[in-house]
Amino acid sequence: MTEITGRTAIWGILADPIHHVKTPQALNSLMQERGVDGVLIPFHVGADDLTALVSGLKAMRNLKGFVVTVPHKTAIVDLCDDVSKQARAIGAVNTVRREADGRLVGEMLDGAGFVAGLRENGIEPRGRRIYLAGAGGAANAIAFALAEAGVSLLTIANRTLSKSEDLRQRLAENHPSVPVEIGTGDPSGHEIVVNATSLGLKEGDPLPLDVTRLTPDQTVAEIIMQPEVTALMAAARERGCRTHPGRPMLACQLELMAEFMEMRP
Ligand SMILES: NC(=O)c1ccc[n+]([C@@H]2O[C@H](COP(=O)([O-])OP(=O)(O)OC[C@H]3O[C@@H](n4cnc5c(N)ncnc54)[C@H](OP(=O)(O)O)[C@@H]3O)[C@@H](O)[C@H]2O)c1
């Protein structure tokens, strides 16, 4: 970290709990590499105090922005002065930039990070048929980013059907040219298969989809980062599929966050 002086710019991350977050280490290293006179620090805040903290942060002139994570990604939307159309439709924000006049501008970068991670590894979603397992927070962000990327079909398969229906409705309103279907556990007929559920994080979790339907022409992408090779990825490899792990989504997102929050020298 550079020496902290009166000129040092401040960024933060809001979470509860907060001990496990890795964003401070990652973005402080990035700032050091780029010669940014800034520091990103953890702000531990509970849901009941979020409004009070955010109102204080608006008044903090050397604060440039903050990352928002569990459990505040939804509540922060209404506390921002401006939110991108996409983040509004998703109903969540994970990165906020504080403008010089104190206005807070929110964006959701989870999905953009996922798509950038695919592209960085030579996997282009444009024009592809995509199977998406999940309709939770991460799946919502990914679905909107895939629609934005111009996929030819998006099939959503989630345990709770009402959440798939709700996501399809919002996608139809915001991306009417992208065909969206509600799927089952069968991913066949899709070129890219994405696990955006939390299944795979814990040992013994059931698989998020029917792996016996996977074929070698498919790419199977994960968002679970730990373990590095999930049970789904192992099963997909056994069936001859190309696999894409969860980590690039985060790595690419850190870049996007730095850019959005203007972490520059
Ligand atoms: N790689 C990255 O950068 C990155 C970024 C963000 C999140 N993530 C990972 O993404 C995962 C999901 O996060 P989230 O914020 O989307 O969580 P979330 O909003 O709680 O959504 C969880 C999703 O998993 C499904 N699910 C959970 N347990 C299930 C079960 N037993 N059977 C079938 N479906 C089940 C849920 O289905 P229902 O709707 O039916 O409950 C829902 O679709 C987390 O594990 C997180 O670690 C990774």
Side-chain angles (χ1 to χ4, degrees), residues 87-219:
R88 176 83 54 199
I90 294 166
V93 153
N94 76 340
T95 312
V96 176
R97 179 175 65 237
R98 183 189 176 281
E99 305 282 9
D101 61 2
R103 288 171 50 76
L104 298 180
V105 183
E107 181 58 287
M108 169 42 94
L109 296 170
D110 268 341
F114 176 78
V115 169
L118 285 182
R119 287 187 169 141
E120 201 176 73
N121 286 278
I123 305 163
E124 176 53 61
R126 177 173 296 279
R128 298 292 153 87
R129 293 187 301 274
I130 317 278
Y131 174 95
L132 180 69
N140 262 264
I142 288 171
F144 273 85
L146 288 170
E148 181 83 31
V151 302
S152 63
L153 170 70
L154 182 63
T155 300
I156 305 162
N158 190 53
R159 175 180 59 177
T160 307
L161 188 61
S162 58
K163 284 165 76 178
S164 306
E165 296 282 6
D166 175 61
L167 175 54
R168 175 164 71 168
Q169 182 63 35
R170 281 178 288 115
L171 284 165
E173 283 160 15
N174 290 275
H175 295 280
S177 62
V178 177
V180 180
E181 289 180 2
I182 303 296
T184 62
D186 179 0
S188 55
H190 299 82
E191 288 139 325
I192 303 175
V193 174
V194 183
N195 174 35
T197 73
S198 47
L199 293 176
L201 201 58
K202 295 194 295 285
E203 223 182 294
D205 272 351
L207 289 165
L209 49 95
D210 182 357
V211 293
T212 66
R213 306 292 294 170
L214 293 171
T215 47
D217 54 330
Q218 292 177 311
T219 295

Side-chain angles (χ1 to χ4, degrees), residues 6 18 32 34 36 45 55 57 85 90 97 108 131 138 145 159 178 191 196 228 238 256 265:
I18 200 150
Q32 189 156 27
R34 295 181 185 177
V36 180
V45 58
S55 127
L57 292 177
K85 188 170 170 255
I90 294 166
R97 179 175 65 237
M108 169 42 94
Y131 174 95
R159 175 180 59 177
V178 177
E191 288 139 325
E228 222 163 292
E238 255 178 44
L256 296 170

Side-chain angles (χ1 to χ4, degrees), residues 43-112:
F43 296 146
H44 186 183
V45 58
D48 290 349
D49 297 317
L50 185 69
T51 305
L53 176 71
V54 170
S55 127
L57 292 177
K58 280 168 75 92
M60 194 171 154
R61 292 189 202 167
N62 57 354
L63 182 92
K64 303 286 188 177
F66 49 88
V67 173
V68 184
T69 188
V70 180
H72 306 309
K73 288 188 198 180
T74 306
I76 197 73
V77 174
D78 289 336
L79 300 177
C80 290
D81 298 292
D82 195 8
V83 162
S84 74
K85 188 170 170 255
Q86 183 128 314
R88 176 83 54 199
I90 294 166
V93 153
N94 76 340
T95 312
V96 176
R97 179 175 65 237
R98 183 189 176 281
E99 305 282 9
D101 61 2
R103 288 171 50 76
L104 298 180
V105 183
E107 181 58 287
M108 169 42 94
L109 296 170
D110 268 341

